[in-house]
Amino acid sequence: MKTVLTKATPGNDITPLESANRALAREAVAEGIVLLANDGALPVAPCPLALFGAGAASTIKGGTGSGEVNERYSVSIEQGLVNAGFSITTDKWLRDYETLLEKKQEEFRKALARKMLTTSADDRINFMAEGFQYPYGRKIAEDDIKASEGACACIYVVARQAGESSDRNLDKFEYHLSQDEIDNLKTAASAFEKTILVINSGAPVDLSPIDEIGGINAVVFFCQQGMEGGNGFADIVTGAVSPSGCLGATWPLKYEDIPCAMEYSYLKGHTEFEEYKESIYVGYRYYDSFGVKPRYEFGYGLSYANFAIGYSDVKLDKTVVTTTVSITNTSSVHSGKKTVQLYVSAPGGKLRREAKGLAAFGKTDVLAPGESQNIDLVFDFREIAGYDESSSSYILEKGDYIISIGESSSKVLSAAVVTLDETVMTEVCSNICPIDRKLDEIVPVPNDTATQPSPMPSISLKMNASDIVTKEHNYDQPKTEADPKTDAVLKKLSLSDMLKVVNGTGIFDSKQFFRVPGAAAHTTSHLLKHGVPDVALCDGPAGLRLQRTSVRYKNGKLKPVDTALRLHDSIPGLVKKSMYGNVEKGTPLYQYASAFPVGTALAQTWNAGLIERIGKAISAEMVEYGVTFWLAPGMNIQRNPLCGRNFEYYSEDPLLTGKVAAAITRGIQSNAGCYATIKHYAANNQETNRNKSNSIMSERTLREIYLKGFRIAVEEGGAKSVMTSYNKINSVYTPNSYDLCTKALRCEWGFDGVVMTDWFSTGETLANNGLAIKAGNDLIMPGGRGYIKMLKKDMKDGRCTIDDLRLCTARVLKSALESRIVKEM
Ligand code: BGC
C-alpha cells in the first residue's frame, strides 16, 4: 500500500461540485438569517442604496482560528446587493473603510508576532488570544449624505469578529456598540427615510442603544454566512426569499441579565475555574423560569408572511407523543416557510425542572399565501427525563406534563396535558464526573407564575408508569467490535508500532502535512506495509479547512503557496518563509473548499433536512480531496454570548444542538469511510485560558445540558469520532476522564468509534498522555515524536497498561482500515 498523493489539481476552473455547493450555500444563507424587527421597511426593491458599516464591503464570513475555510471567493454584502441590482451611493465611505481595515490588520500582525515570542510552549495553542477586531469605520460625513440623495434606504452593517482562544471583551465594544457606531446610526436614522441595522457577528451584540436612537426601521441578524453571504442577504432584502430563520440563543435586554453574567470567564478576575452556578438554567430555561424578559427570545424570528399555527391532534403511544400541527400562511402577498416548536413543562417534584424545554421542532416547505401544511412533531418522554444524582438515574416524576406548541419559547399555546400516574426511572446509570466542592446553584422561586402555561390545554392524556421499561447499562470495559481485519493487523504490531498508531504525525511532518494541503494532521504512515493507510484530518465546521494553492516542484516536493494560517504568517518560529513555495517555479495545484454558513447560522435554519444536505456536500469535498476525518461539528452549548467560539456552535439548547449535529453527521457519513468528529467533548464553554480552565458543575447539569447534544449526535447521527476538549470538568482533564470517554460515551450511548484529543491538549502541565489512553481517548493529536516519548514514559510509570494501549490502537486501526481512502490505495 502506498500513500495517496495530494488530490489537488493543476486545473483552476470552477468545478461542477463547487457550483452546486455555492447554490446550496446561498439557500442556507437565506434560511439562516433572522429578521429581528421590521416596521415594513423590508423588503426593498433594487434602488440606489446608502450602505455603511464594518461588515458592508468587508463582510465577515466566519470566525477566526481553525474554523476558517479557504474558499475560492466570498460575496460581500455590498457585492450581493450590487448583483441584485442595487446601486450603492456610499462608495467613498466603503473604500475608506477598506484602507483603514488593511492598516489595522497589519498593526495586529506585528503585535501578535511580538506576543508569540513571550508565550510558553504549552500555551502556544492560545497564540490567537485577543483576536483581531474590525475597526468601526469613520464618522458619516455630510458629503456621504449628499452623495446619497435619492437613496431609497440606508443599510448599516455592524460587524464583530471572534475566534479561538479568547472570549469577547466586554470593555472593548466587542459585545457592545461603540460610540462611533451609535453616532453613525443616529446620523443615518435622521438622514434616511428607512434605516436597516444589520448585525454581522457570530453571536449576539448589545442592542440597547437602538431603543434610544429611534428611527431604526428594521434589524437583521445576518450572522456570519460563508462564501455566499452577500447573495443570500440580497435574496432576503429584495423579498425573493421571505426570512424564516429563528434564533438558537436568547438575546438579553442587557448583558447583566444573563445568569451569573459577571462571573463568566475573565470577568470574575481569573480563569482558573468556572463555576456553573446557573445549573440547568441556561438560556431560555433561565429567562422563562426566573421571569426575566429577554430582548429576543429563543426560537424567535419574523417573516414577511404571517402564519396561523394550530394543532389538530395529539396522540400518545406509551411514551411517544405525536402532535399534528397545522400551519397556514395567512398573508396575501408573501410566500414563506415557518418553523414550529414544541415545548414540555415537566411537573416539579424531587427535581426542580425548567419552566419548559424544547422537545421537538419542524419546518414547513415554502407555503404560498393561503396555503396550509400539517407537520407531525414527535418526541419520546424518556428523552426529556431529568437526572437524579441520588439514585444515579434518569427519572420522570409523576404529575402533569404540559405540551405547548408555538413559534418561539415565549410565544406558545398549550396543546395537551399528559398525566403520569407514578414516578419512574427511565434509565439507571453509574454516576460520572463527581464534583469536588460545594457549588451554590441559583434556584427559581417556586410557583413562579412564569412557569404556568396558559390557557390550560384542552386535550388530556394518561401515561402509565407500568408501560415504561427501565434501561440498564453495562459498564464493563467495552471491546472494539470483533473485526477480523483489525485483529489480523493488530497481532503483528510491536509496542513501538502501537505507540505510533495512537499518535498523529504532528503538524510539521513535511511528508504528510501537505499531502492533503491544509490538513490539521494525519495518522501514522508507519503501517502502510501492513495495509493500514495514513489518513487526513481536516477542520470545519463551516466547510473543509484546506490550503487553496500549493506548488509541486520537479523533484516531487510540495509546498503551500497561500497560507491557511493567514494573520499568523508573520509569527517568528511558527511559520517560516521557506515553508512556502513559488508557483512560478513549479506546477501550481488547487483545491477550493466551500465556505458554508457558520454553525450558529446553520442552526438558525431549524431545517434538519437542509443541514443534512450540507453535510453531504462537505462529504463530497472530503472524497474529492482525500479527507477521512472532518474535525466538526463543533457542538458546545452557547452558555454565554461572550464565548469566542460561539459562532462555531449551534445553540443554547441541547436538543436543537444535538439534532443539528446529528443531521450534519448523517450527511458527512453518507459516504462510507468519511467520519464526522463531534467536538469539543465537553463543557468547553469559554476560550480564555481554554487549555487549563476547570468547568465545575453538578452531574445533573452536565448530563442534561452539556452532554445531551453529544448523546443525540451519537445515538441519532451515528457519529464515528469524538474530539475531547482542552478544559477539565470537575478537576479532571476531559481526555483523562474514563467517565466521559468510556462510561458515558461507549457504555451508555453505544459509541464505537475513535476518541481523539484536541490539538496539543496533552503535555507536562496539561492532560496526561498515558491517562488519556487509559480513559479510552484513543488518539493523541497532533502527536509526533515528543508525544510518543511522553507516552512511553507514562506507560513505564504505570499510567496505562499495554492492554489499554492495544484497545485504543484497535479502534484507530479499525477507522483507518475502513477509511474511504483505502479504495484509492
Ligand atoms: C481547535 C480544534 C481544531 C484543532 C485542529 C484546535 O486549536 O480547538 O477545534 O479541530 O485545533 O485544527
Side-chain angles (χ1 to χ4, degrees):
M1 179 176 272
K2 267 199 166 163
T3 194
V4 175
L5 288 175
T6 178
K7 294 169 85 184
T9 55
N12 196 13
D13 295 337
I14 296 177
T15 63
L17 179 61
E18 265 184 279
S19 303
N21 287 357
R22 262 193 189 272
L24 179 61
R26 181 169 180 167
E27 185 185 335
V29 174
E31 257 196 77
I33 288 176
V34 183
L35 180 62
L36 295 173
N38 187 22
D39 67 2
L42 282 171
V44 189
C47 60
L49 187 80
L51 183 64
F52 298 102
S58 310
T59 311
I60 300 177
K61 72 163 201 290
T64 58
S66 58
E68 273 268 12
V69 177
N70 304 302
E71 74 291 357
R72 188 186 285 267
Y73 67 91
S74 262
V75 181
S76 68
I77 284 183
E78 181 190 16
Q79 189 58 52
L81 290 169
V82 169
N83 293 348
F86 288 88
S87 57
I88 305 300
T89 59
T90 48
D91 192 63
K92 173 92 177 69
W93 194 98
L94 296 172
R95 305 294 77 86
D96 285 353
Y97 182 83
E98 283 167 343
T99 311
L100 176 70
L101 178 63
E102 240 171 67
K103 186 172 152 247
K104 292 281 174 198
Q105 280 177 330
E106 191 48 39
E107 283 168 17
F108 177 74
R109 274 191 202 105
K110 285 190 180 140
L112 203 62
R114 280 196 296 275
K115 192 178 278 167
M116 184 66 188
L117 292 173
T118 55
T119 307
S120 76
D122 271 354
D123 285 329
R124 287 265 156 94
I125 194 64
N126 293 327
F127 69 84
M128 293 158 266
E130 281 185 37
F132 174 72
Q133 199 45 261
Y134 275 50
Y136 313 116
R138 69 163 166 79
K139 286 270 176 70
I140 297 176
E142 262 178 40
D143 281 354
D144 300 314
I145 304 284
K146 254 193 221 147
S148 299
E149 251 169 48
C152 67
C154 167
I155 293 187
Y156 196 103
V157 189
V158 165
R160 293 292 184 272
Q161 179 72 295
E164 267 188 57
S165 80
S166 74
D167 294 311
R168 295 163 76 199
N169 199 310
L170 204 57
D171 298 329
K172 292 191 181 161
F173 305 107
E174 293 182 6
Y175 178 73
H176 293 102
L177 297 183
S178 69
Q179 194 54 49
D180 283 353
E181 287 168 325
I182 295 172
D183 292 346
N184 273 350
L185 279 167
K186 275 187 195 153
T187 309
S190 62
F192 299 98
E193 213 177 292
K194 289 180 182 178
T195 300
I196 297 151
L197 170 61
V198 176
I199 306 297
N200 173 207
S201 147
V205 297
D206 173 51
L207 290 183
S208 43
I210 65 165
D211 299 338
E212 267 112 67
I213 293 171
I216 305 285
N217 305 88
V219 183
V220 178
F221 182 35
F222 172 78
C223 199
Q224 293 171 336
Q225 296 280 6
M227 64 187 182
E228 280 294 304
N231 286 332
F233 177 73
D235 290 339
I236 292 291
V237 171
T238 58
V241 177
S242 193
S244 66
C246 299
L247 295 177
T250 311
W251 286 45
L253 272 174
K254 53 182 191 316
Y255 178 77
E256 291 71 18
D257 288 346
I258 297 162
C260 311
M262 300 316 287
E263 291 181 47
Y264 179 71
S265 185
Y266 60 88
L267 289 172
K268 63 181 166 303
H270 70 82
T271 48
E272 194 191 320
F273 58 83
E274 183 77 9
E275 294 185 325
Y276 286 50
K277 290 184 187 164
E278 75 284 3
S279 68
I280 61 161
Y281 300 104
V282 178
Y284 70 93
R285 286 176 162 76
Y286 170 78
Y287 294 92
D288 279 5
S289 307
F290 286 73
V292 179
K293 193 177 166 341
R295 178 173 295 276
Y296 302 120
E297 72 271 13
F298 173 77
Y300 169 84
L302 301 174
S303 168
Y304 299 148
N306 296 312
F307 298 92
I309 299 176
Y311 56 94
S312 48
D313 199 10
V314 184
K315 278 197 212 103
L316 177 70
D317 179 8
K318 290 190 178 155
T319 52
V320 178
V321 178
T322 305
T323 304
T324 307
V325 183
S326 66
I327 304 107
T328 306
N329 181 350
T330 57
S331 62
S332 51
V333 182
H334 296 287
S335 299
K337 295 185 178 184
K338 183 72 184 166
T339 295
V340 279
Q341 302 158 32
L342 183 150
Y343 295 86
V344 177
S345 306
K350 188 175 179 189
L351 302 179
R352 204 186 292 267
R353 300 293 299 261
E354 60 275 72
K356 59 172 121 47
L358 183 74
F361 61 90
K363 192 165 189 175
T364 65
D365 304 327
V366 176
L367 297 180
E371 202 181 343
S372 299
Q373 187 179 343
N374 280 358
I375 288 191
D376 281 348
L377 299 179
V378 184
F379 77 96
D380 188 324
F381 264 103
R382 289 173 298 184
E383 291 159 6
I384 62 143
Y387 189 74
D388 174 35
E389 292 170 21
S390 63
S391 62
S392 56
S393 62
Y394 284 92
I395 59 171
L396 283 171
E397 296 195 72
K398 70 173 180 192
D400 292 344
Y401 290 78
I402 292 162
I403 295 174
S404 34
I405 50 169
E407 48 187 315
S408 74
S409 58
S410 306
K411 221 170 163 195
V412 291
L413 198 99
S414 41
V417 57
V418 177
T419 308
L420 176 64
D421 54 354
E422 287 300 333
T423 296
V424 279
M425 287 180 181
T426 57
E427 198 178 331
V428 180
C429 300
S430 163
N431 286 118
I432 56 167
C433 305
I435 191 163
D436 57 356
R437 68 197 74 184
K438 193 174 161 339
L439 188 64
D440 285 325
E441 294 182 337
I442 57 169
V443 271
V445 182
N447 300 326
D448 193 320
T449 48
T451 66
Q452 305 301 319
S454 80
M456 283 310 284
S458 55
I459 299 179
S460 293
L461 299 161
K462 300 267 171 256
M463 181 162 54
N464 301 319
S466 56
D467 282 343
I468 301 174
V469 180
T470 307
K471 192 171 178 182
E472 308 233 0
H473 297 291
N474 173 3
Y475 290 96
D476 292 345
Q477 174 70 274
K479 300 271 171 289
T480 301
E481 225 175 77
D483 167 22
K485 253 200 203 157
T486 308
D487 288 348
V489 178
L490 195 57
K491 265 192 225 137
K492 295 184 204 153
L493 303 191
S494 64
L495 171 65
S496 138
D497 291 332
M498 290 198 281
L499 288 169
K500 284 181 182 129
V501 175
V502 299
N503 272 280
T505 51
I507 63 164
F508 291 124
D509 179 328
S510 57
K511 252 196 279 142
Q512 293 206 1
F513 185 47
F514 300 117
R515 192 167 62 62
V516 175
H522 282 75
T523 56
T524 185
S525 59
H526 183 73
L527 300 185
L528 286 167
K529 57 180 182 283
H530 292 303
V532 184
D534 48 345
V535 302
L537 304 92
C538 283
D539 266 308
L544 279 186
R545 186 183 193 223
L546 295 173
Q547 192 80 45
R548 234 183 313 232
T549 320
S550 319
V551 56
R552 181 182 286 139
Y553 291 107
K554 278 213 185 94
N555 61 7
K557 259 200 174 167
L558 199 72
K559 284 194 174 186
V561 174
D562 66 315
T563 164
L565 297 169
R566 293 258 177 97
L567 283 174
H568 311 116
D569 60 358
S570 56
I571 298 173
L574 184 70
V575 180
K576 295 184 195 90
K577 273 248 160 64
S578 61
M579 285 168 62
Y580 290 90
N582 182 345
V583 270
E584 315 282 308
K585 299 198 171 149
T587 312
L589 299 176
Y590 303 97
Q591 47 180 10
Y592 295 101
S594 301
F596 288 98
V598 298
T600 301
L602 284 186
Q604 287 177 171
T605 67
W606 292 64
N607 186 340
L610 172 67
I611 293 164
E612 187 166 336
R613 279 163 60 212
I614 291 176
K616 280 190 179 151
I618 296 171
S619 187
E621 292 184 2
M622 290 171 75
V623 172
E624 179 89 358
Y625 298 125
V627 178
T628 296
F629 286 90
W630 188 46
L631 302 175
M635 49 180 305
N636 294 99
I637 292 295
Q638 294 173 342
R639 175 177 175 242
N640 182 297
L642 301 187
C643 173
R645 289 184 91 169
N646 271 355
F647 73 96
E648 292 184 59
Y649 306 147
Y650 295 129
S651 169
E652 66 188 19
D653 178 78
L655 183 99
L656 180 59
T657 297
K659 297 279 180 189
V660 172
I664 207 154
T665 296
R666 282 192 297 271
I668 292 291
Q669 297 182 171
S670 61
N671 281 311
C674 291
Y675 312 128
T677 306
I678 54 178
K679 71 185 186 184
H680 309 89
Y681 184 63
N684 183 182
N685 306 102
Q686 68 273 352
E687 284 298 300
T688 308
N689 195 31
R690 61 177 172 167
N691 59 343
K692 304 235 170 88
S693 75
N694 186 4
S695 301
I696 293 164
M697 69 191 81
S698 71
E699 183 184 353
R700 179 180 173 204
T701 303
L702 175 66
R703 283 184 178 269
E704 289 186 23
I705 304 293
Y706 298 98
L707 297 189
K708 184 170 172 167
F710 285 100
R711 181 175 190 164
I712 297 171
V714 169
E715 291 183 344
E716 292 179 22
K720 293 270 189 204
S721 168
V722 171
M723 184 191 291
T724 46
S725 54
Y726 286 114
N727 54 286
K728 302 170 200 160
I729 294 181
N730 293 334
S731 305
V732 178
Y733 275 114
T734 61
N736 291 166
S737 171
Y738 185 82
D739 285 359
L740 287 175
C741 299
T742 298
K743 276 166 81 175
L745 188 59
R746 301 182 201 269
C747 303
E748 292 181 15
W749 313 343
F751 176 78
D752 185 33
V754 164
V755 179
M756 68 182 76
T757 64
D758 198 344
W759 269 229
F760 306 104
S761 68
T762 56
E764 297 297 333
T765 63
L766 304 167
N768 178 273
N769 292 286
L771 293 180
I773 296 299
K774 176 145 220 85
N777 184 120
D778 312 301
L779 185 57
I780 292 163
M781 293 310 290
R785 258 182 252 147
Y787 287 83
I788 294 177
K789 219 167 134 192
M790 283 192 268
L791 183 52
K792 244 189 201 162
K793 180 167 181 308
D794 291 337
M795 282 191 77
K796 246 195 196 152
D797 295 347
R799 290 208 157 101
C800 67
T801 65
I802 184 103
D803 285 342
D804 300 326
L805 180 65
R806 193 170 290 115
L807 191 56
C808 292
T809 307
R811 291 179 186 136
V812 179
L813 281 181
K814 186 165 184 270
S815 295
L817 285 167
E818 289 173 2
S819 160
R820 173 81 178 46
I821 204 88
V822 172
K823 291 191 185 156
E824 296 167 33
M825 297 182 107

